[in-house]
Amino acid sequence: MKKILATGGTGYIGSHTVIELINDGYEVDIIDNLFNSKITVLDQIEKITGKRPTFFQADLLDEAKLDEIFRDGHYDTVIHFAGLKAVGESVEKPLEYYHNNITGTVYLLEAMKKYGVHEIVFSSSATVYGVQDNPEFVETMTTGMNLTNPYGRTKYFIEEIMKDYAIADPEFKATLLRYFNPIGAHESGLIGEDPNGIPNNLMPIIMCVAEGRIDKLHIYGDDYPTADGTCRRDYIHVVDLAKGHVAAIEHMKNGVEIYNLGTGTPTSVKEMVAAFEKASGKELPCEITGRRAGDLAEMWANADKAKRELGWQTTLNVDDAMRDTINYLNKVKE
């Protein structure tokens, strides 16, 4: 069984993936600087799996520490989650985002090369597609055009770096997983999304409103050409997403492979609110405001390739995600 190093492994998606890997028999080490996660996640992983992953509190920009971790770790595969990820902040701090996300990845690839680690699964994003004419995003679409923020560009540039590196090193295997909109929590309620500060994405904002940390949800536009006038997005349960990483590790190929991970079914903002209200039994304060610049009316994943080549598909839906999110929020309050 492969030994895995998960960068950013105490984060939202990383921690859920570590759980799935451990439950499938993999040995997992985590490296994380805890910039946007908490050390207590390790306790929760141990409660759920019965095993505590080896943890290194370090930054990928710390080349000496990275070298030490790889020298002693003897890893087979890296899953690369680590990176700054707030879209709005990336517009305000582009240099910080380019340096952290891109330089950190280059240092990681250099350490992998030095210690003979040839496999990496990269946490990419649907943002690399930019603005497209077709709302159903498929892996063969052009990427890197009409990108709206530095965060998305860092994901695009990292994908291109890995493609170039694969040409130079025939032993290199990289699987790029383009996420859509992760939501939900582990069914135990012990881990879930817990962002620092005020989030930008819909589901964590709904959570903040439910907790009273934000007074109401602003719905940006209800005059889009959709059934209820609000934007539609592809929301994937984080556990399904985590299982997609396990499938990727089990089907590594030489060169670069790219997969969308999504449900293929979009859900509108109003439908998300209704699903949360149904699951919680409480009304969510909302206010319709003007459209945000750059928002597409709808977009969703074509995930046929992942089903065909990885044997992966989603098994959970928005209602499951709402149930698990509320369970997590209730556990946090205990």
Side-chain angles (χ1 to χ4, degrees), residues 15-320:
S15 59
H16 285 84
T17 302
V18 167
I19 286 169
E20 295 303 319
L21 288 167
I22 292 173
N23 284 341
D24 275 20
Y26 289 92
E27 182 181 354
V28 186
D29 289 1
I30 294 172
I31 176 172
D32 202 304
N33 63 7
L34 300 178
F35 177 78
N36 199 36
S37 61
K38 296 178 175 65
I39 191 69
T40 52
V41 168
L42 295 173
D43 298 329
Q44 311 300 51
I45 291 173
E46 186 175 14
K47 286 178 184 176
I48 294 167
T49 66
K51 294 184 179 179
R52 190 179 188 88
T54 298
F55 175 74
F56 304 99
Q57 184 172 349
D59 197 294
L60 295 186
L61 295 173
D62 185 343
E63 289 183 274
K65 184 63 177 178
L66 201 56
D67 186 89
E68 177 187 322
I69 290 168
F70 271 88
R71 185 189 66 221
D72 300 335
H74 308 291
Y75 301 109
D76 299 294
T77 308
V78 171
I79 304 185
H80 183 27
F81 299 103
L84 298 174
K85 62 176 186 175
V87 170
E89 185 182 59
S90 77
V91 176
E92 298 167 4
K93 302 177 180 179
L95 297 182
E96 185 175 336
Y97 269 68
Y98 287 127
H99 180 53
N100 184 88
N101 293 4
I102 296 175
T103 308
T105 300
V106 170
Y107 287 170
L108 177 65
L109 291 170
E110 287 176 341
M112 290 173 61
K113 180 180 180 181
K114 180 176 179 180
Y115 290 99
V117 182
H118 302 294
E119 298 183 357
I120 187 167
V121 176
F122 175 53
S123 163
S124 192
S125 167
T127 57
V128 301
Y129 291 113
V131 178
Q132 300 278 354
D133 293 331
N134 187 342
E136 183 180 49
F137 287 10
V138 63
E139 293 91 345
T140 52
M141 283 179 166
T142 300
T143 57
M145 303 294 289
N146 302 314
L147 302 184
T148 58
N149 57 79
Y151 163 75
R153 290 189 192 95
T154 66
K155 292 293 188 183
Y156 168 70
F157 290 146
I158 291 169
E159 285 195 0
E160 294 301 299
I161 288 168
M162 292 190 181
K163 291 175 186 177
D164 288 338
Y165 184 38
I167 294 170
D169 183 354
E171 289 188 280
F172 186 60
K173 302 176 182 180
T175 299
L176 315 180
L177 300 180
R178 292 175 179 164
Y179 305 167
F180 280 68
N181 297 76
I183 58 173
H186 192 267
E187 63 180 1
S188 67
L190 293 174
I191 62 169
E193 190 161 15
D194 187 18
N196 292 336
I198 301 300
N200 289 316
N201 298 333
L202 177 62
M203 193 62 214
I205 292 174
I206 288 176
M207 293 167 66
C208 286
V209 173
E211 292 178 299
R213 292 162 55 189
I214 300 176
D215 61 349
K216 58 189 170 184
L217 171 68
H218 289 96
I219 298 176
Y220 297 105
D222 64 349
D223 57 350
Y224 285 93
T226 60
D228 63 20
T230 61
C231 293
R232 302 167 77 218
R233 296 289 183 266
D234 191 332
Y235 295 97
I236 177 174
H237 197 296
V238 67
V239 172
D240 277 334
L241 183 58
K243 290 179 178 178
H245 293 76
V246 179
I249 287 174
E250 293 171 349
H251 295 81
M252 297 295 295
K253 300 176 185 177
N254 281 61
V256 175
E257 292 290 337
I258 301 168
Y259 299 96
N260 287 337
L261 295 185
T263 67
T265 304
T267 304
S268 75
V269 176
K270 285 184 177 179
E271 287 170 336
M272 288 286 284
V273 170
F276 188 87
E277 290 179 336
K278 178 183 175 182
S280 66
K282 299 177 181 178
E283 186 175 345
L284 200 72
C286 298
E287 179 182 338
I288 307 293
T289 61
R291 292 186 182 190
R292 286 187 305 195
D295 274 351
L296 300 177
E298 51 188 359
M299 57 178 283
W300 63 88
N302 179 316
D304 292 348
K305 184 181 178 185
K307 181 179 180 180
R308 185 174 63 249
E309 297 186 11
L310 302 181
W312 172 90
Q313 61 184 329
T314 59
T315 60
L316 301 167
N317 58 30
V318 165
D319 288 336
D320 297 320

